[in-house]
Amino acid sequence: MPRTIRITRSHKLATAVLVAAGSVTAIAATGGQSDAQPAAAKTSIAAEKVAGVSTAKEAAAKKAAQETAAKKAAADAAAAKKAVAEKAVADRKAEAKKSAEKARSEKQAANRSTERKAVAAPKQYKNNLDGWIRESLDIMKKKNIPGSYEGLHRNIMRESSGNPNAVNDWDVNAQNGIPSKGLLQVIQPTFDAYHVNGTPKKLTDPVANITAAANYAADKYGSIDNVDSAY
């Protein structure tokens, strides 16, 4: 026959203790899980805060780097612009200096040329009627005596046919002992009165004779060009 088990008061107390212990264990396990969840949440929030701070710092650092780069780029652009402006100014100064030096050089060359002309040999004239007329005209021009090549040549050909030693020994002047001589048949008193400085004081000198006659004609007729007959 099966053995009958007798539950005593001691058994009841032991069972109650065991039940109580299990309940405590269960409660402890449940309570521990409840406490762990807020801690994990706090840890997650803290991590998020750290991550947010790190991101903000990185953004600030990136912004600062961009601002620094922008300032550097602006400074470089300003420096390049200044360099271009300074170069333009330097180029203009160099060009102005070059132009001034060229102008000064040309002026000096012109002065030297003028000096050489000033000390050049006197103008040469041919020793013939054309040369005598041209030399006389140059002297007349300096002395403001009017007359042209045509006027001189026309009167010379009528008076002496171009012979500087021609002498009129038959007219009234010859009869009075003062014959007309030279290219323009001038008498001595007239030659002496109208002689032009810079020419020989010789009545029959071709240039002196022409110039004195032109000076006389300018005084009496306004110009040798106005003379068409004996004068």
Side-chain angles (χ1 to χ4, degrees):
M1 288 181 70
R3 187 179 176 181
T4 302
I5 301 174
R6 187 180 177 180
I7 300 173
T8 63
R9 188 171 180 272
S10 297
H11 291 149
K12 291 180 179 180
L13 289 173
T15 300
V17 170
L18 290 173
V19 171
S23 297
V24 170
T25 301
I27 292 170
T30 303
Q33 185 175 0
S34 287
D35 292 340
Q37 286 179 350
K42 290 180 180 180
T43 300
S44 176
I45 293 171
E48 289 177 359
K49 288 183 177 180
V50 170
V53 171
S54 177
T55 302
K57 287 182 178 180
E58 289 176 357
K62 183 176 180 181
K63 183 178 180 181
Q66 290 175 342
E67 291 177 349
T68 300
K71 288 180 180 179
K72 185 177 184 303
D76 291 343
K81 185 177 180 180
K82 182 179 179 182
V84 170
E86 289 177 347
K87 185 177 184 301
V89 172
D91 289 344
R92 286 196 297 271
K93 287 183 178 179
E95 186 63 27
K97 182 178 179 182
K98 184 178 179 181
S99 297
E101 289 176 350
K102 182 180 179 181
R104 184 166 54 253
S105 178
E106 290 176 348
K107 184 177 180 180
Q108 290 174 346
N111 290 338
R112 287 193 296 269
S113 178
T114 301
E115 290 172 358
R116 284 195 296 271
K117 289 180 180 179
V119 299
K123 185 177 180 180
Q124 298 297 312
Y125 301 92
K126 293 181 179 180
N127 188 27
N128 57 24
L129 182 58
D130 178 73
W132 301 330
I133 293 175
R134 293 185 185 282
E135 184 175 356
S136 182
L137 283 171
D138 285 345
I139 296 171
M140 290 164 60
K141 184 177 180 180
K142 292 178 182 177
K143 302 294 183 178
N144 295 316
I145 300 172
S148 66
Y149 186 100
E150 187 278 329
L152 292 173
H153 187 271
R154 171 167 44 81
N155 281 285
I156 288 171
M157 296 309 293
R158 186 190 69 250
E159 293 292 332
S160 65
S161 299
N163 179 8
N165 297 312
V167 178
N168 184 321
D169 56 4
W170 54 268
D171 67 2
V172 65
N173 290 320
Q175 294 173 12
N176 292 328
I178 47 172
S180 301
K181 298 181 180 181
L183 291 171
L184 282 169
Q185 293 294 283
V186 182
I187 60 176
Q188 190 66 50
T190 300
F191 178 81
D192 293 340
Y194 290 94
H195 172 261
V196 177
N197 292 333
T199 63
K201 288 187 177 182
K202 182 180 179 181
L203 178 57
T204 55
D205 179 85
V207 175
N209 187 278
I210 293 172
T211 310
N215 193 26
Y216 167 77
D219 184 40
K220 298 299 182 180
Y221 306 100
S223 171
I224 191 70
D225 294 346
N226 299 328
V227 178
D228 290 306
S229 61
Y231 61 108

